[in-house]
Amino acid sequence: MRRVNKDERTRISFTLNGRAVSGEAESRMLLTDFLRHVIGATGTHVGCEHGVCGCCTVLIDGVAARSCLTLAVQAEGRAVTTVEGLAAPDGALNALQQAFQRHHALQCGFCTPGILMSFTDYLARNPHPTEDEIRDVLSGHLCRCTGYAGIVAAVRAVSAGNSKQPS
Amino acid sequence: MNVRSQSSGDFLSQALGIPLVRKEDPALLSGRGRYADDLPVASGTLHAHVIRSPHAHAKILKIDAAAALALPGVAAVITGEDVRQLTDPFLIALKAPVHQWSLAVEQVRYVGEAVALVVAESRYVAEDAAELVQVDYDPMEAVTDPLAACDKSAPLLHPACKTNEISVRKFAYGDTAAAFAAADRVIALTVDYPRLSFTPMECYVVVAEYRPHDGSYDVLANFQGPFSTHPVMAKALRVPGTRLRLRIPPDSGGSFGIKLSVSPYVVLAAIAAKITGRPVKWVEDRAEHLAAASSGPNRITRIEAAATLDGRILGLRLDQLEDYGAFLRAPMPGPLYRMQGSVTGAYDIPNVEVTNRIVLTNKMPASLIRGFGGPQLYLAIERLVQRIAVELGLDHLDVIRRNLIPAEKFPYRTAAGALYDSGDYARAVATAIGDGRLDDLKRRRDTARAAGKLYGIGFAAVVEPGMSNMGYLSTLLTADARERAGPKNGAVSMATVNIDPLGGVSVSADVTVQGQGHQTVLSQIVADRLGLDPADIKVTLELDTAKDAWSIAAGTYSCRFSPGTAVAAHIAATRIRGRLAGIAANQLNVLPDDIEFADGQVRSRSNPDNALPFGRVAGTAHWSPVMLPDGMAPGLSETGVWSPPELEPPTSDDRINTSLTYGFIFDMCGVEVDPVTFSVRVDRYVSMHDAGTLLNPLIADGQVHGAFAQGIAAALYEEFVYDENGNFLSGSFADYLVPTVSEIPPLEILHQETPSPLTPLGAKGMAEGNCMSTPACIANAVADALGVKDVSLPLTPLRLHALMAGKP
Amino acid sequence: MKPRRFDYVRPDSAEEAVAVLAEYGDAASVLAGGQSLMAMLNLRVAEPAVLVDIARLKELDYIRVANGKVEVGAAVTQNQLKDWPELGGRLPLLAAALPFVGHFQTRNRGTVCGSIAHADPSSEIPLVLAALGGEVVLRSQRGTRVLAAADFQRGVMTTARAPDELIVAARFPTQWTRGVAFREVARRHGDFAIIAVAACVEDRNTLRIGIGGVADRPAVQHAPISVAADAKDMFEKLAQELEGYDDLHASARLRRDLLRRVGPVVVEEALRCAA
């Protein structure tokens, strides 16, 4: 049984974008704060800290989740993927990122990392979503700049691109 | 839209005006943005948490911080008394004893007001300590309703003012009495615009450091401007402006006007740094943001029209009561006066009387917000125009068209003094109903109604101002008072172009980044002047008051980029181009007039083979200043300054050209009201824009989509709700309803481009329009669907339920 | 918005989990998906001395069919169940309701049993459990007991779970699959319902109707199919009985009016679906 007492700091380790990372934290530290301020992976953003806005969405073992509703200690031993893990090592954007640029799917870019992570999970499960399915997944995110139109268009374009590739 | 990639390799003959994708995006898409909370802080930086009032109105009897200070890791608990000793109240635009500090002094006036600041080694510990601070209050009666607050018996927010209605100004333009005497009918309406915010996804962030050797403050904050607030902050801190260095981070997570109001926290964090002797960082959380950051002002407008039987409006009267909450923060009451010149909207109405009233209530202070006075005004005017049609038995669209300013009257001086620079409103409307398929909308309405459904069509025609006259707010004062205070007018824009020894071009400018793609558009402007690829232009917009060129007008607000900063960049690039042309002409042995900039070369127009690489010419200025043509100043740096002469001060009879450019928007929509769920479904929505020349159509459409979503939010979802005791009921994103993609209907955008003759690029401001038009258009459509007169926003199930009471 | 301090324990078995609960009693909170609890911790409206994290317990991560019921273990997320291939065939009412539960991202972590434990009066999963006459399985060091949904949910966010008990599973009866319908009215997609109505046809003669968001817990009504012809009267009566309540988004009156209007539509859909 893993146990962390309230007045204790513990070492927490997991893989982040394929690399082992670790750091010390209290049991109460949120995964958002651990990623951003202990590890220094600031691409994951904090928009509400009560699970509504979706800015902080990351993948935990490949599954999109709100990192503000996750304790750092809950990520122990897991594979965490964040927006920093999407582009190629040389910085080349992946297909989803490219589509976001092409369709002007972001303005201030603050909500964008979370949205990218949601669709990274979802498109892996369902590479050819309908527009309704895209909207359903996107409805778990708040964006104040774009009115969402470009985001829907970008994901549709990626989905169309998926269909061109041999399955 | 056939978008254009960055760095496509081939040079563009013209980059401006094409839908170029944004150079900002790769970093933001990769998690490499640099927002305020992402930036490294100095070792030993402390973290702050604000203790806030649970009461709408109460005396602060005692603050006991002993237990909190005893908690390990706590550095300080700062209260209103500290703040009163170390700072001055914020300056306000009105001569009234409304004193606000960065923490409540002696009493609280709204739920969420900052009462004390806990500074500790981490945010977690600061929040632990906050729970140990004991604040004793003596609650007082509160007032939240603006009309009730005007009553003589209402509890006073600032007793020294002797009233909550702290300003009443009456304006008369033309002969309104004669217009009403000549009218066939007088049609009147009262509309109520709600309180809401556009809650940027990133909340406020401030990191402050105090430098005791010279008594200066160095503050990083995601402040958006206007920088007219910088002197307000410096004065509050009792330092000259040079001792408040304000730096803006490279990226900011949205603003929409809201991030002006980080300014009280700049002062608060600054003195916390002084008190603790360590850097202090504060990151606002969402609960704080919703309760206390900023709100648009709510407004009650009583409006009446003198109309002829065929729907011509001869005169207007408006009585606008605007509720600013507990304090009047500079530059308030902006929303009440920003539209003063265009108070007659898109219509040719020569006679108008306006009464502007300001009231204070026990709610969070209102301040800047996208649309900035437009939504409130147009809900009144556009609802009134619809009522004129209904009451006179006319077609709504006919009444609009009958009153629109005719194309031949441009440039058009409105009754209240605005100089509408250009437009062809009738053509825009004709295109909108044609290309936007009004016939289809009518067919859908008729089919729906035949099936017993509640379907309505709405229209809205609005004029969208761009780049504010820094003198408009002085219309608040009487002509005599203005005389005594000295003239205020104009609006200065600045941008700087530097060229390095290798020919690298960098640009900085007086805007703050919030997501509008300014880096991309500035690169397009400068690339065109210098014959370069926009991808080669490096644009850095981390405004630093200690190093950058800025004026009080700096910042990103009131759509000042396209008519303002873009022009300044154009001027700077043109100047530097002239210098490079002089250098190249010398080296190429041609006249400067024969020089052209294209394909990364500086060359002879008449003999393009006679050419030098751009970098070589630039290098000359760096390496061989002695060889420069006679009379040319050395160095390759130019700051363009743009200050259009049309932004004159208010006249002695209170006429004011409130803005430089005036775009036009015509919206139409069809909505269906569902009598089972009491909800509104927007069936089709068409928005026609004339913002002059579009600098980047991709970005322009993005702005329209974004403003539209916020317009839908205001029409149907978002509202800050207080109960009659001033308790705040919209304190989370589960209660304050920001629409998701599921709530935003599809939008059809149309454009017409009537260039502004007053800006060298022909571009007008364009990013706020649908915040102004969409609430009015939806309200008109719902009024049409239900056949009702009074439509309050947002049209929630509760409000629709009340509107539909008694209907089957 | 950071949580207060708490001890964190991650037991390796349900047995260990109930031992911790036995030790701490109501000072402990069970953390499964955390989609409600973590928000409450961040807002400092919950103050557990210890969090018992059961999300990784393999023994509670199962969906199985037994005795005419689908049993869902406490570690099963809402999306796991939603994506379970047999869901539509065995529990069409739950299949109809699950898309309304939060969002894709919250369903990825939020558990089926967590939603039942949270007992929000307007939430969908407890409504379906009640409408179908399901059960909740509770385990403690004292033993295991099974409560009917109606006995489990006692009021607004109040249940019959004893402080030392762990919800280990929920059981959804599978006998009614012919005619089902589910509708809810919410302000935004994915929000908690203002009201929700579920209906399923039991047999040739009777109908079950579940109503969420109007009373302090799901209300379940059995009705002869014959009344469906005049569902309006039935919902009129129900609206008066259940009364409704006021909150920011809806008044009691609006809730009653919504029930009067949405109820008959759902019944009609269920009957049409059965036919």
Side-chain angles (χ1 to χ4, degrees):
Chain A
M1 184 160 72
R2 173 75 158 120
R3 183 176 185 112
V4 186
N5 290 332
K6 66 172 77 176
D7 45 8
E8 151 188 24
R9 291 170 66 81
T10 190
R11 179 151 290 272
I12 294 167
S13 306
F14 52 84
T15 67
L16 176 63
N17 301 321
R19 290 186 184 193
V21 294
S22 90
E24 283 198 355
E26 290 182 310
S27 56
R28 63 171 165 171
M29 181 174 272
L30 303 177
L31 181 57
T32 40
D33 287 329
F34 189 82
L35 286 170
R36 292 177 50 78
H37 300 306
V38 178
I39 304 295
T42 53
T44 300
H45 296 152
V46 178
C48 77
E49 286 184 307
H50 55 283
V52 181
C53 78
C55 288
C56 68
T57 304
V58 301
L59 306 189
I60 301 174
D61 286 349
V63 173
R66 310 283 205 223
S67 57
C68 77
L69 298 184
T70 306
L71 299 168
V73 66
Q74 287 181 285
E76 267 184 319
R78 304 288 202 196
V80 177
T81 313
T82 63
V83 66
E84 289 97 335
L86 296 182
D90 68 355
L93 303 182
N94 73 15
L96 185 64
Q97 291 167 308
Q98 284 178 35
F100 268 58
Q101 183 178 28
R102 200 161 179 79
H103 291 274
H104 194 23
L106 66 155
Q107 289 181 25
C108 81
F110 197 80
C111 68
T112 312
I115 295 173
L116 290 171
M117 298 324 290
S118 276
F119 282 105
T120 299
D121 174 7
Y122 189 74
L123 290 172
R125 301 187 204 190
N126 179 7
H128 313 299
T130 63
E131 179 161 338
D132 282 349
E133 288 170 329
I134 292 169
R135 288 174 170 273
D136 185 63
V137 172
L138 184 53
S139 75
H141 293 273
L142 299 181
C143 168
R144 299 258 44 180
C145 295
T146 65
Y148 306 103
I151 304 172
V152 174
V155 180
R156 286 188 63 166
V158 172
S159 149
N162 284 345
S163 63
K164 279 180 207 143
Q165 286 155 12
S167 51
Chain B
M1 199 177 291
N2 207 356
V3 303
R4 169 95 188 187
S5 303
Q6 291 274 336
S7 302
S8 47
D10 49 335
F11 284 95
L12 296 157
S13 57
Q14 190 180 341
L16 205 55
I18 65 163
L20 181 70
V21 303
R22 302 196 320 167
K23 59 166 57 227
E24 290 88 342
D25 290 355
L28 301 181
L29 286 163
S30 308
R32 308 292 175 186
R34 288 171 296 157
Y35 301 86
D37 187 36
D38 301 343
L39 300 175
V41 294
S43 305
T45 296
L46 295 168
H47 297 267
H49 174 68
V50 180
I51 296 174
R52 296 181 181 277
S53 170
H55 299 287
H57 203 187
K59 289 217 177 329
I60 299 171
L61 300 176
K62 191 178 159 208
I63 300 178
D64 181 354
L69 288 166
L71 195 72
V74 175
V77 176
I78 296 164
T79 68
E81 283 312 307
D82 300 316
V83 161
R84 175 149 65 179
Q85 280 174 28
L86 293 170
T87 65
D88 286 332
F90 295 108
L91 296 171
I92 64 170
L94 196 66
K95 266 207 165 22
V98 176
H99 300 308
Q100 188 191 8
W101 285 265
S102 55
L103 290 173
V105 169
E106 291 180 5
Q107 60 173 296
V108 291
R109 294 179 176 85
Y110 61 98
V111 169
E113 183 169 1
V115 170
L117 187 77
V118 182
V119 188
E121 66 184 18
S122 79
R123 175 64 176 246
Y124 288 79
V125 173
E127 291 194 23
D128 294 343
E131 294 191 299
L132 300 174
V133 175
Q134 179 68 39
V135 185
D136 294 338
Y137 296 97
D138 180 14
M140 298 190 284
E141 193 191 342
V143 61
T144 55
D145 179 76
L147 287 172
C150 293
D151 195 279
K152 287 202 175 359
S153 65
L156 291 176
L157 272 92
H158 301 272
C161 294
K162 300 191 172 65
T163 174
N164 294 320
E165 194 179 4
I166 57 170
S167 167
V168 180
R169 282 274 284 141
K170 291 178 192 291
F171 302 90
Y173 306 108
D175 191 348
T176 307
F180 276 77
D184 296 322
R185 288 279 296 276
V186 171
I187 290 151
L189 188 71
T190 299
V191 304
D192 192 344
Y193 195 87
R195 274 199 159 228
L196 64 139
S197 165
F198 291 133
T199 65
M201 295 317 302
E202 178 198 38
C203 293
Y204 296 160
V205 180
V206 183
V207 185
E209 199 172 328
Y210 177 66
R211 305 190 54 84
H213 62 283
D214 66 351
S216 71
Y217 299 93
D218 188 336
V219 183
L220 175 91
N222 50 7
F223 175 71
Q224 68 145 55
F227 280 72
S228 56
T229 313
H230 185 272
V232 175
M233 293 184 268
K235 284 274 192 195
L237 285 167
R238 300 173 181 159
V239 294
T242 50
R243 290 195 198 151
L244 172 58
R245 179 179 190 177
L246 184 60
R247 292 179 292 117
I248 312 302
D251 292 304
S252 175
S255 189
F256 323 113
I258 304 303
K259 282 179 179 161
L260 160 76
S261 302
V262 70
S263 50
Y265 300 102
V266 168
V267 171
L268 182 58
I271 61 156
K274 183 176 187 176
I275 289 170
T276 58
R278 283 164 69 175
V280 171
K281 178 173 182 176
W282 173 68
V283 181
E284 180 190 49
D285 68 34
R286 185 57 65 183
E288 300 181 271
H289 187 87
L290 289 170
S294 190
S295 157
N298 49 307
R299 184 189 295 181
I300 298 171
T301 306
R302 160 98 188 157
I303 185 168
E304 56 184 10
T308 62
L309 284 180
D310 65 353
R312 183 88 187 98
I313 303 169
L314 305 176
L316 271 185
R317 286 195 179 115
L318 293 96
D319 186 320
Q320 311 186 101
L321 175 66
E322 191 135 281
D323 174 0
Y324 281 92
F327 295 98
L328 198 67
R329 282 180 181 157
M332 295 305 104
L336 194 52
Y337 283 89
R338 187 248 190 144
M339 306 298 291
Q340 183 78 4
S342 44
V343 70
T344 43
Y347 306 116
D348 186 12
I349 304 173
N351 310 296
V352 58
E353 286 175 6
V354 186
T355 302
N356 286 339
R357 305 172 194 272
I358 296 168
V359 65
L360 300 184
T361 61
N362 292 108
K363 302 202 280 278
M364 89 172 97
S367 192
L368 246 64
I369 185 166
R370 193 178 192 177
F372 205 48
Q376 292 90 334
L377 175 69
Y378 290 120
L379 184 68
I381 296 182
E382 295 307 290
R383 284 291 304 120
L384 180 69
V385 170
Q386 195 258 358
R387 286 306 302 169
I388 291 171
V390 170
E391 294 195 21
L392 298 178
L394 303 170
D395 179 77
H396 183 187
L397 189 55
D398 285 344
V399 177
I400 290 174
R401 286 190 286 207
R402 202 153 289 154
N403 288 287
L404 286 175
I405 298 163
E408 62 272 16
K409 284 200 174 184
F410 287 93
Y412 173 87
R413 185 70 74 172
T414 67
L419 179 67
Y420 287 1
D421 47 342
S422 66
D424 188 343
Y425 300 173
R427 186 163 66 88
V429 170
T431 308
I433 63 181
D435 295 355
R437 307 185 320 287
L438 176 61
D439 52 349
D440 167 68
L441 214 47
K442 286 182 172 168
R443 221 172 10 248
R444 295 165 87 95
R445 176 194 63 194
D446 296 344
T447 308
R449 285 186 176 173
K453 293 178 174 165
L454 300 166
Y455 195 107
I457 292 178
F459 302 99
V462 315
V463 167
E464 177 181 7
M467 189 152 89
S468 293
N469 184 339
M470 292 292 103
Y472 81 79
L473 197 53
S474 63
T475 321
L476 166 73
L477 307 174
T478 61
D480 287 349
R482 286 198 298 268
E483 188 80 17
R484 285 195 298 275
K488 292 193 172 68
N489 55 76
V492 175
S493 302
M494 295 170 168
T496 301
V497 177
N498 287 308
I499 305 183
D500 74 17
L502 298 174
V505 179
S506 57
V507 179
S508 60
D510 65 353
V511 285
T512 52
V513 171
Q514 318 162 356
Q516 288 95 334
H518 292 162
Q519 283 149 278
T520 300
V521 177
L522 288 170
S523 77
Q524 290 174 273
I525 292 167
V526 175
D528 273 2
R529 299 310 293 154
L530 302 180
L532 300 174
D533 187 321
D536 295 332
I537 312 292
K538 173 76 181 163
V539 184
T540 304
L541 301 175
E542 302 159 37
L543 218 160
D544 177 340
T545 58
K547 294 171 71 188
D548 287 313
W550 62 277
S551 77
I552 55 157
T556 298
Y557 63 94
S558 292
C559 287
R560 67 178 287 272
F561 176 78
S562 299
T565 303
V567 177
H570 175 80
I571 291 170
T574 303
R575 278 219 219 111
I576 218 158
R577 173 192 166 109
R579 297 173 68 175
L580 290 168
I583 297 167
N586 246 7
Q587 296 184 2
L588 296 173
N589 256 333
V590 298
L591 291 171
D593 283 354
D594 186 40
I595 293 290
E596 69 172 9
F597 291 71
D599 305 340
Q601 292 184 322
V602 187
R603 67 194 182 199
S604 160
R605 199 187 315 269
S606 51
N607 174 17
D609 289 341
N610 187 15
L612 286 166
F614 180 85
R616 177 72 184 268
V617 180
T620 304
H622 279 276
W623 296 111
S624 319
V626 173
M627 306 282 286
L628 292 180
D630 289 347
M632 184 181 283
L636 275 183
S637 178
E638 285 284 356
T639 296
V641 181
W642 163 243
S643 179
E646 290 81 8
L647 296 179
E648 295 170 317
T651 60
S652 56
D653 58 352
D654 295 325
R655 286 167 211 268
I656 174 70
N657 185 22
T658 25
S659 300
L660 180 65
T661 65
Y662 297 88
F664 178 70
I665 298 172
F666 177 74
D667 285 0
M668 61 182 191
C669 72
V671 306
E672 189 182 323
V673 180
D674 182 344
V676 173
T677 60
F678 301 101
S679 61
V680 174
R681 183 181 65 84
V682 179
D683 182 35
R684 276 192 63 211
Y685 199 107
V686 179
S687 190
M688 171 78 197
H689 285 247
D690 188 342
T693 307
L694 294 181
L695 302 177
N696 181 326
L698 181 69
I699 291 174
D701 275 5
Q703 290 300 312
V704 174
H705 276 293
F708 170 68
Q710 294 179 339
I712 291 288
L716 301 176
Y717 296 99
E718 293 185 30
E719 184 180 22
F720 284 140
V721 182
Y722 293 82
D723 69 15
E724 65 274 23
N725 300 319
N727 294 307
F728 181 61
L729 306 179
S730 314
S732 79
F733 268 160
D735 304 306
Y736 185 80
L737 303 181
V738 177
T740 76
V741 65
S742 302
E743 285 72 51
I744 303 299
L747 170 66
E748 301 164 45
I749 301 173
L750 299 167
H751 290 289
Q752 166 177 306
E753 295 185 50
T754 311
S756 172
L758 304 184
T759 68
L761 299 172
K764 303 186 180 189
M766 54 82 52
E768 297 180 80
N770 285 87
C771 292
M772 305 179 183
S773 59
T774 299
C777 191
I778 298 278
N780 278 343
V782 171
D784 184 48
L786 299 180
V788 294
K789 178 180 177 188
D790 296 315
V791 177
S792 297
L793 304 183
L795 285 154
T796 61
L798 269 171
R799 288 206 174 86
L800 287 162
H801 185 237
L803 279 177
M804 293 164 74
K807 290 181 194 284
Chain C
M1 240 158 122
K2 310 294 180 189
R4 298 183 179 116
R5 289 194 163 101
F6 47 74
D7 293 342
Y8 170 87
V9 298
R10 188 165 64 224
D12 296 321
S13 65
E15 191 182 344
E16 279 185 4
V18 296
V20 177
L21 291 177
E23 184 187 342
Y24 285 88
D26 57 12
S29 286
V30 176
L31 174 65
Q35 300 303 289
S36 300
L37 177 60
M38 281 303 304
M40 292 164 73
L41 292 174
N42 291 357
L43 290 160
R44 297 196 174 209
V45 295
E47 192 176 13
V50 60
L51 275 189
V52 186
D53 181 359
I54 62 161
R56 297 190 191 199
L57 292 183
K58 281 275 162 266
E59 67 190 285
L60 300 181
D61 188 7
Y62 66 87
I63 302 170
R64 66 174 162 240
V65 184
N67 307 321
K69 298 187 178 73
V70 172
E71 185 171 309
V72 181
V76 174
T77 66
Q78 293 149 5
N79 263 350
Q80 256 177 285
L81 183 59
K82 181 171 172 287
D83 296 342
W84 182 49
E86 296 176 39
L87 185 71
R90 294 187 187 273
L91 292 169
L93 185 62
L94 189 54
L98 275 173
F100 291 91
V101 179
H103 298 279
F104 168 73
Q105 299 80 358
T106 61
R107 290 193 302 265
N108 273 342
R109 301 268 294 175
T111 60
V112 174
C113 289
S115 174
I116 292 165
H118 190 56
D120 188 293
S122 61
S123 100
E124 296 84 359
I125 293 172
L127 169 60
V128 172
L129 188 76
L132 294 177
E135 297 166 343
V136 178
V137 185
L138 296 151
R139 177 172 163 187
S140 69
Q141 285 189 325
R142 296 174 287 129
T144 296
R145 60 175 181 148
V146 179
L147 286 181
D151 298 326
F152 176 76
Q153 192 164 349
R154 293 280 174 82
V156 178
M157 293 177 179
T158 310
T159 71
R161 183 182 79 88
D164 65 339
E165 283 182 315
L166 177 69
I167 298 174
V168 289
R171 293 174 182 159
F172 295 88
T174 57
Q175 68 263 48
W176 303 300
T177 56
R178 247 167 17 94
V180 302
F182 180 90
R183 276 198 184 217
E184 71 173 43
V185 178
R187 291 297 313 277
R188 294 173 302 184
H189 181 63
D191 280 353
F192 277 110
I194 294 176
I195 70 145
V197 181
C200 66
V201 175
E202 286 183 334
D203 53 38
R204 204 175 296 221
N205 301 315
T206 58
L207 191 70
R208 306 172 71 91
I209 296 157
I211 297 160
V214 185
D216 65 350
R217 70 195 90 170
V220 180
Q221 178 84 6
H222 297 255
I225 295 263
S226 54
V227 306
D230 213 352
K232 246 182 143 159
D233 282 354
M234 180 174 69
F235 282 101
E236 179 61 47
K237 206 164 139 267
L238 277 168
Q240 284 169 22
E241 275 172 28
L242 298 175
E243 292 182 14
Y245 54 90
D246 292 340
D247 66 13
L248 179 62
H249 300 305
S251 60
R253 235 188 96 220
L254 171 57
R255 288 192 151 83
R256 293 195 297 270
D257 266 359
L258 285 169
L259 181 59
R260 287 183 183 107
R261 290 159 196 240
V262 176
V265 175
V266 174
V267 166
E268 194 203 316
E269 278 178 8
L271 292 177
R272 200 168 349 112
C273 168

